[in-house]
Amino acid sequence: DRLVGLVRRDHPFIGERLTLNQFLQTDQVAMGSPSQSDQIIKRALGRKAQQRSIVLEVSHYMALPSILARSDLLTVIPQSLADEFTRDELVKTVPMPFKSEAFKVRQFWHRRMHYDAGHRWIRGVIAELFTTGRTVSTEKPSLTSEQQ
């Protein structure tokens, strides 16, 4: 995967391209916990990364589309996730104004959930969405009498 910028579709000063100056001066939303995106940006920009204007931190990527659609904020997320968010046409992607390294999107969960049938099912749905890029069935499998 690669990083892209995500802004509202009718952003007042970010068009189809994003300059480095715009990237550094635009108020941004970032993930609250350490993220791969943040580390990649820091490696790509070096000291300039400190000039970013992060005004909001969120704990879940799913909060981003509604925040961006109603503001002039910018965020940086994996392309595969941005592709899902742009389906409703409220937000758009813009290429990053710097070269960013490729990376893998991974899932993490608590070990107590590792063998939980429902959790295993949703992890499989998410993995298939991000590896195939296509719509998958979200029908939950029936539980056996041992699992009930």
Side-chain angles (χ1 to χ4, degrees):
D1 220 336
R2 292 229 179 253
L3 294 179
V4 295
L6 193 67
V7 295
R8 76 176 205 219
R9 173 127 339 254
D10 60 345
H11 197 281
F13 59 88
I14 297 177
E16 299 304 311
R17 301 193 61 120
L18 178 66
T19 67
L20 182 57
N21 195 35
Q22 286 174 320
F23 177 76
L24 295 174
Q25 291 182 355
T26 302
D27 289 341
Q28 297 182 29
V29 182
M31 292 305 297
S33 60
S35 69
Q36 281 186 326
S37 302
D38 192 48
Q39 297 303 316
I40 292 169
I41 292 167
K42 286 178 180 177
R43 283 193 295 270
L45 295 181
R47 295 181 137 210
K48 285 188 178 189
Q50 296 173 356
Q51 297 174 29
R52 291 173 67 201
S53 176
I54 298 173
V55 297
L56 179 64
E57 290 185 351
V58 295
S59 57
H60 299 282
Y61 282 109
M62 297 307 292
L64 292 171
S66 61
I67 292 169
L68 295 173
R70 294 169 179 82
S71 71
D72 293 339
L73 299 174
L74 160 75
T75 197
V76 179
I77 62 173
Q79 175 76 58
S80 56
L81 189 56
D83 289 345
E84 293 300 316
F85 290 165
T86 57
R87 288 182 186 212
D88 66 9
E89 299 184 4
L90 297 175
V91 293
K92 67 180 178 182
T93 60
V94 289
M96 298 309 307
F98 52 84
K99 187 173 176 100
S100 69
E101 60 199 64
F103 61 93
K104 291 182 180 182
V105 174
R106 296 188 173 146
Q107 296 183 70
F108 296 92
W109 56 89
H110 193 279
R111 67 177 153 232
R112 76 171 174 254
M113 302 304 289
H114 191 71
Y115 297 105
D116 179 82
H119 202 267
R120 289 175 65 185
W121 166 79
I122 194 66
R123 290 192 317 255
V125 169
I126 292 167
E128 188 155 346
L129 282 170
F130 283 91
T131 56
T132 65
R134 61 182 173 84
T135 304
V136 296
S137 170
T138 57
E139 185 176 321
K140 191 171 178 180
S142 59
L143 298 176
T144 64
S145 58
E146 291 176 1
Q147 295 170 318
Q148 294 179 346

